[in-house]
Amino acid sequence: MKKPNDVIIRSVTKVAVVIILTFAINLFISGHHQPGGGFIGGLAFASALILLFLAFDIETVRNHIPLDFKVVAAVGVLISVLTGVGAMLLDHPFLFQAFGYFKLPIFGKTELATAVLFDIGVALAVIGTSITIIMTIGDDR
Amino acid sequence: MNNLVILPIIIPVIAGMVMVIFRKRIIFHRYLSVCSIIAVGIVTLLLIFQIDQEGVQTLQLGGWEAPFGVSMVADMFAALLILTTCVVALCCLLYAFRSIGQERENFYFYPLFMFLITGVIGSFMTGDIFNLFVCFEVMLVSSYVLISLGGTGNQLRESIKYILVNIISSFLFLVAIAFLYAMTGTLNFAHLSIRVAEAGQDGLMTVVAILFLIVFSLKAGLFLFFWLPGSYSAPPTAIAAIFAALLTKVGIYAIIRVFTLVFYHEPEVTHLLIGILAGFTMILGAVGAVAYWDIKKIITYNVIVGVGFILAGAASLTAEGLTGSLYYLIHDMVVKALIFLLGGTVIHLTGTSRLKEFSGLIRLYPGLGWMFFIAALSLSGIPPFSGFLGKIFITEGTFEAGFIWLGIIGLLTSLMVLYSIMKIFMNGFWGTDTSEENEKRTTKGLLLPLGILTMLTITLGLGAEGIHHYVDLAVEGLINPGIYIEAVFGTRPVH
């Protein structure tokens, strides 16, 4: 059988993945004031990786992203729980959220909240879980 | 604010997640799981001490005041159950070290065990009905994986049934919460109690209460137990024991909590219905236990009898009945784990679960035989052991509430339970050793958790006076919902 020629889909994927990843990060960051957040941001991020799996094969992607996604999911949950534990160490109730306004070099006056750390955990857990599901179903081994 | 309240939930989560990260280190998994369960036990002991001194302990997560945030409430009822959970979980873990096998250990057995414990403890501790749903799901998803872990044919068939039944009941749970939220506009247990008391429990509210009863009955195996015998005999012994000891008890806890705190205004309808269902559950469970000649089937049907018995006490809605329910709940968690581990050990030693295929075990394994005897007596409520006091109080409570038929059913089914479990003892342990190739196999390491649980059921029976003070406190909280509400809201007026 002749090997199919997929130059077009691979070239488009290379561009599209960058755009999707940017969009995913935008969704993640906008969670506090606009629709978005850790869950949808994580799913969009995972969809970019799945596009890579479709255009290239699983081995190639795995060689370039040498992460065990089960560990990614576990680290995500740990980050989320530990933000709550951090509040406990400072004698606040579990899951207490602190925020403040900071002058950052490029962004100017920005609101930073510890809720973002929790959302990073959620996003990592979502990415890790969805990629693990796809890889487990897709793998022959 | 008391951050101690949340620790029993987050210690197992963190331990489980760390285990997932260091997947290959099985020895590390074992140490970490035992250490974290012991840590949870110590924290719970501290909590019990605090509740005794200062009343019900609460934590408003994130500092948002109840009813707007999620409250975690540790009253004596929940704390006693959590402590029992820790002891039972520790014994099942010790048993699993020797029996579960390397293949399952490599596929996240210990992390899943930790998540199961998290869900169970979270369900006991939460003060919010939607959070109860979430904790149920944490527990159920872990149990789905544990029941199918290993992937033998029987396990896969039973796990499909188990998952289907539980997904349907979770869906009904969500629908019931939606109805309740539409009518009361709140999800916090204490606030729900106030709102329902203010508006009065009209017909529609009673219908929602019965919907909740159906949901929790599916989880607890109250009358709707058709899924239970198959599912609980499929997984390996250590997992089946933790299921039998904990999973149905969470459903029972939810029924007792909801029908003493929120829907206690129409006992002629709801509590009578619980009583009728409990009566049917006891009869059907006892009939099943008597009918089979298979160890696994006999002990799973005994789980069902226990559920009916505990809820018979709850249906009476008297102090005696609830005291009995709590005593019996604690006893039942311990003794069901014990009897499942014993049954599993017998099956491991003989290689068959059919009673007619072996006999004379007591010559080879005297320790095992006498522990089985003690467990059998304790299960049916013979005086020096832990099952007795609960049965006495439950029978007294049902008589006092006028459910005399229910008390009589309870006593009659106790006889049937004794017969069914003695059938295992007399046929399996007595008699001559019929099979020739049945040489002595090792029980090394398996007897330790069995010994701990046996000692516990004896001490719970002899030292019932010692925990009487704590049980009384717990029952006082169940009889007076005001104590719970005041602990959640302080003295602020809430409508």
Side-chain angles (χ1 to χ4, degrees), chain A residues 62-141:
Chain A
R62 197 182 268 158
N63 288 339
H64 286 82
I65 313 174
L67 281 176
D68 183 353
F69 281 94
K70 298 183 206 83
V71 173
V72 171
V75 169
V77 176
L78 268 185
I79 290 174
S80 290
V81 177
L82 289 179
T83 55
V85 175
M88 281 164 65
L89 296 179
L90 302 173
D91 209 28
H92 288 294
F94 181 68
L95 286 180
F96 182 83
Q97 305 288 350
F99 65 96
Y101 294 92
F102 297 93
K103 276 240 182 291
L104 296 181
I106 300 168
F107 301 100
K109 188 184 163 199
T110 318
E111 182 190 359
L112 291 180
T114 54
V116 178
L117 292 175
F118 188 89
D119 252 11
I120 288 175
V122 173
L124 287 180
V126 170
I127 295 169
T129 314
S130 44
I131 298 295
T132 305
I133 293 172
I134 296 289
M135 295 233 283
T136 316
I137 298 174
D139 235 356
D140 279 341
R141 284 178 303 166

Side-chain angles (χ1 to χ4, degrees), chain B residues 54-317:
Chain B
E54 304 160 20
V56 178
Q57 299 291 308
T58 58
L59 175 68
Q60 317 292 349
L61 293 191
W64 306 101
E65 293 293 338
F68 306 110
V70 172
S71 334
M72 287 289 161
V73 187
D75 62 347
M76 192 54 95
F77 182 46
L80 286 176
L81 293 183
I82 293 169
L83 190 62
T84 320
T85 302
C86 289
V87 177
V88 168
L90 188 64
C91 292
C92 289
L93 258 183
L94 291 178
Y95 193 90
F97 288 172
R98 283 280 166 188
S99 68
I100 201 74
Q102 188 140 33
E103 199 181 330
R104 289 194 171 91
E105 280 180 328
N106 279 334
F107 277 92
Y108 305 105
F109 171 72
Y110 296 112
L112 287 165
F113 194 92
M114 288 293 120
F115 301 147
L116 185 79
I117 301 298
T118 308
V120 170
I121 295 179
S123 311
F124 287 152
M125 195 93 95
T126 179
D128 181 291
I129 200 158
F130 192 77
N131 211 22
L132 180 71
F133 172 78
V134 174
C135 288
F136 262 58
E137 288 306 304
V138 171
M139 174 186 87
L140 287 173
V141 169
S142 324
S143 73
Y144 298 155
V145 187
L146 280 176
I147 204 173
S148 57
L149 190 65
T152 61
N154 190 26
Q155 277 182 304
L156 292 181
R157 187 176 61 244
E158 294 303 333
S159 64
I160 293 229
K161 292 181 199 163
Y162 180 73
I163 292 171
L164 271 178
V165 166
N166 277 300
I167 283 180
I168 289 170
S169 75
S170 295
F171 165 72
L172 285 177
F173 194 2
L174 214 51
V175 170
I177 292 174
F179 278 129
L180 191 62
Y181 186 66
M183 282 192 275
T184 59
T186 183
L187 292 170
N188 188 298
F189 273 135
H191 202 203
L192 275 174
S193 180
I194 294 176
R195 286 263 166 99
V196 171
E198 268 175 2
Q201 191 177 331
D202 55 359
L204 204 54
M205 200 72 92
T206 307
V207 170
V208 174
I210 290 171
L211 189 54
F212 274 110
L213 181 63
I214 293 171
V215 170
F216 295 141
S217 302
L218 267 169
K219 313 259 184 201
L222 174 70
F223 191 64
L224 304 170
F225 58 74
F226 51 90
W227 55 272
L228 196 146
S231 309
Y232 280 20
S233 49
T237 308
I239 298 174
I242 200 79
F243 279 18
L246 299 182
L247 295 195
T248 55
K249 307 304 179 286
V250 176
I252 294 170
Y253 168 85
I255 292 179
I256 295 180
R257 177 64 83 207
V258 166
F259 284 91
T260 54
L261 184 62
V262 183
F263 301 116
Y264 57 91
H265 304 281
E266 290 280 345
E268 313 80 71
V269 182
T270 50
H271 289 70
L272 181 65
L273 186 62
I274 296 177
I276 293 170
L277 292 180
F280 273 116
T281 312
M282 284 190 279
I283 294 173
L284 295 175
V287 167
V290 167
Y292 283 99
W293 283 85
D294 182 303
I295 296 180
K296 283 185 172 179
K297 283 282 191 304
I298 294 174
I299 55 184
T300 44
Y301 275 98
N302 271 308
V303 172
I304 296 165
V305 182
V307 171
F309 212 86
I310 296 165
L311 287 166
S316 72
L317 203 62

Side-chain angles (χ1 to χ4, degrees), chain B residues 51-52 55-57 73-80 189-190 193 253 256-264 317-320 322-323 326 468-488:
Chain B
I51 297 166
D52 191 23
V56 178
Q57 299 291 308
V73 187
D75 62 347
M76 192 54 95
F77 182 46
L80 286 176
F189 273 135
S193 180
Y253 168 85
I256 295 180
R257 177 64 83 207
V258 166
F259 284 91
T260 54
L261 184 62
V262 183
F263 301 116
Y264 57 91
L317 203 62
T318 56
E320 274 74 25
L322 286 167
T323 311
L326 185 48
H468 190 62
H469 171 64
Y470 302 101
V471 173
D472 264 0
L473 262 180
V475 171
E476 198 189 331
L478 290 178
I479 294 284
N480 305 320
I483 296 175
Y484 188 98
I485 294 167
E486 197 182 313
V488 174

